[in-house]
Amino acid sequence: MDLQAVSGAATVAIACAIVFLLAARSWQLLSRVLSAHSSFADSIMSEAAQRFRDELSRLSRDQSTYLGTGLVFVVMYVAATAFNGPELFEGYPEWQLYLLLTTLVAAALFALYRLIRTVVAWRSVRFCRDANIAIGHELQRIAAGHGRAYHDVPTSYGVVDHVLVGKGGIYAVAVVARRHLKKGSASLLEGELHFSNTEKIIEIPKLTVSSRRLRKDLSKQVGRNLRVRTVVAVPGWEIEEQSDPDYLLVNERTLPMLRGWKDQHDYLMDEDVQALQDYLTRRCKRSAS
């Protein structure tokens, strides 16, 4: 096959692929507009890992769109070459054909790059979703008889993964989702989170900024300073050591430990509990996001 035929077939194929991509994107945009408002948004609360669920849905749509576009390109290229499509560039100088092919290859490589990025992001978000769901479901079980659990609680300084509010106190749970190839352990030492398989350190004060903001928001609701216990959850990791009294380090199996991590200053009056739960219920409704 000569250069002219390849250029013509590739041009037809990429033109069809672009049309397909634009059509798919337009349909996705229309679908988002039509489904922007749920019929029961005022009665639906955010579930565990809600923001990761939403992001995973978006990435899944992007992934399907890019794969579909690639399939359209391949099919149309094969069809254009098999059926001897029109010679679009008959008589063009060879250097222009090479320039066109270079542009088409660059466009194809960029599309492949976007697809790979989407797949990598999809895998990362899926792992974060599963980690947050594991903690959220366990917290929901703990909450029975001890209070109410809320998920993806928004604040002006970010989102708190999970919050438990009851007579026994307020607990803000920050989830650190980290993969490991083999069994590993995590330690909490002087406000720093250490993992056994890496030298990278996570500073807990930076991780829990949203939790501190949540304490201020909740304190305003009852007109006095409240204590919010900060729990750091590392699903899938064994807990080796923790020496910081301001934080509790747990995994999905040891999360029930938070029920015993309290003192007399943590207990709340019934009216405070009701006011805080009403406030968090309003903040965590899907209509408020």
Side-chain angles (χ1 to χ4, degrees):
M1 185 180 299
D2 59 22
L3 182 60
Q4 184 175 302
V6 172
S7 300
T11 301
V12 171
I14 202 166
C16 293
I18 291 175
V19 170
F20 174 84
L21 179 61
L22 293 176
R25 288 297 194 186
S26 299
W27 176 251
Q28 290 176 2
L29 178 60
L30 179 62
S31 298
R32 285 200 299 271
V33 171
L34 294 177
S35 61
H37 302 287
S38 171
S39 301
F40 305 99
D42 290 334
S43 302
I44 300 176
M45 302 282 291
S46 295
E47 300 181 26
Q50 186 65 61
R51 67 191 190 279
F52 294 112
R53 296 171 191 259
D54 295 342
E55 179 67 8
L56 193 65
S57 296
R58 185 189 68 79
L59 289 172
S60 295
R61 291 192 298 268
D62 288 349
Q63 187 172 265
S64 298
T65 299
Y66 291 135
L67 288 174
T69 301
L71 180 61
V72 168
F73 176 84
V74 172
V75 171
M76 294 307 300
Y77 182 84
V78 172
T81 55
F83 293 100
N84 296 320
E87 299 292 342
L88 298 179
F89 304 104
E90 184 175 0
Y92 276 62
E94 191 171 285
W95 70 268
Q96 291 186 359
L97 297 179
Y98 276 116
L99 181 61
L100 174 64
L101 274 180
T102 302
T103 303
L104 294 177
V105 170
L109 291 177
F110 177 73
L112 179 62
Y113 165 74
R114 291 296 300 270
L115 174 60
I116 293 174
R117 279 195 60 184
T118 301
V119 172
V120 171
W122 182 86
R123 293 187 71 253
S124 176
V125 171
R126 185 181 64 171
F127 182 78
C128 292
R129 180 204 62 181
D130 292 345
N132 273 269
I133 289 177
I135 296 298
H137 285 182
E138 181 63 21
L139 189 66
Q140 199 72 43
R141 186 184 67 82
I142 294 172
H146 294 275
R148 293 186 62 181
Y150 301 87
H151 312 288
D152 278 11
V153 180
T155 74
S156 56
Y157 288 96
V159 176
V160 181
D161 294 318
H162 310 280
V163 176
L164 175 63
V165 177
K167 294 182 180 180
I170 308 168
Y171 298 88
V173 183
V175 179
V176 179
R178 190 182 185 90
R179 294 181 183 273
H180 54 83
L181 298 178
K182 60 181 181 179
K183 188 175 181 180
S185 60
S187 302
L188 183 57
L189 305 172
E190 299 180 353
E192 295 180 340
L193 182 59
H194 300 258
F195 293 94
S196 60
N197 66 343
T198 180
E199 296 182 356
K200 184 178 180 179
I201 297 173
I202 298 178
E203 297 181 8
I204 300 301
K206 293 182 179 180
L207 178 67
T208 57
V209 171
S210 57
S211 299
R212 295 196 296 275
R213 182 62 191 182
L214 177 67
R215 181 185 65 81
K216 295 181 180 179
D217 293 343
L218 296 182
S219 296
K220 290 179 181 179
Q221 300 304 308
V222 298
R224 63 184 181 87
N225 288 329
L226 297 174
R227 173 186 287 181
V228 175
R229 294 279 192 175
T230 301
V231 180
V232 179
V234 285
W237 295 82
E238 297 298 327
I239 307 304
E240 186 174 80
E241 183 181 359
Q242 49 185 321
S243 61
D244 197 321
D246 295 328
Y247 308 101
L248 177 67
L249 183 64
V250 298
N251 56 29
E252 71 278 14
R253 299 183 305 277
T254 61
L255 186 61
M257 290 174 55
L258 68 81
R259 291 184 297 187
W261 187 43
K262 66 182 68 172
D263 58 36
Q264 61 180 355
H265 300 292
D266 297 318
Y267 288 92
L268 301 172
M269 295 183 292
D270 290 344
E271 56 267 28
D272 289 343
V273 172
Q274 189 61 53
L276 296 176
Q277 290 181 349
D278 290 344
Y279 170 74
L280 290 173
T281 297
R282 293 193 302 269
R283 292 298 301 271
C284 295
K285 285 182 178 179
R286 293 290 281 166
S287 58
S289 59

